Amino acid sequence: VSGNPKLVHALRVDQRRLFRRYLRCLTKDYGRLLDGIRRVMVESSVDRPDLARALARNRALFALAVCRIEFRLAMHWAGVGNVDISGVVEAFDRLRDHAAALSAVPVAA
């Protein structure tokens, strides 16, 4: 593969296309999970301003991580570096942790 520049280029184009598709799916899943947490918070009989702040911070970190990935994808297109998704995955994992913490919060009848 390394001896054929056209094949290497085609593989890199496919990698970026597939990765962008994966990132779109991950972003949609993140949005659905965030919406679910917000609904539970609204229906809860317990006010959680700390959780609201944590969710706002998490959302900002997720958006920043997506921007970093898009920048790195552009650099990858130019043949520089690789793409690191750890920031997006960490923000998603933290959001799941918040969702798990909400399962112990009573919901208004």
Side-chain angles (χ1 to χ4, degrees):
V1 172
S2 62
N4 186 338
K6 287 185 179 184
L7 184 56
V8 169
H9 175 74
L11 287 173
R12 289 173 67 92
V13 167
D14 282 346
Q15 286 174 335
R16 285 189 301 274
R17 180 180 49 78
L18 290 170
F19 187 78
R20 278 197 169 97
R21 187 179 299 164
Y22 166 72
L23 187 59
R24 273 193 307 271
C25 289
L26 187 62
T27 300
K28 286 180 184 178
D29 288 345
Y30 180 90
R32 287 184 197 117
L33 182 57
L34 184 61
D35 287 345
I37 292 172
R38 287 175 175 162
R39 265 185 260 131
V40 169
M41 287 177 65
V42 166
E43 295 171 1
S44 174
S45 61
V46 178
D47 191 21
R48 294 283 310 269
D50 59 319
L51 183 56
R53 280 190 302 277
L55 291 179
R57 184 178 192 288
N58 184 272
R59 184 172 179 225
L61 290 174
F62 187 86
L64 180 61
V66 170
C67 289
R68 283 185 188 142
I69 289 172
E70 288 295 340
F71 175 76
R72 288 188 174 166
L73 282 168
M75 296 302 289
H76 186 262
W77 174 84
V80 178
N82 55 18
V83 179
D84 177 21
I85 66 166
S86 62
V88 169
V89 172
E90 289 170 12
F92 194 91
D93 286 344
R94 277 187 244 119
L95 187 64
R96 278 197 325 222
D97 292 343
H98 292 307
L102 266 181
S103 66
V105 175
V107 176

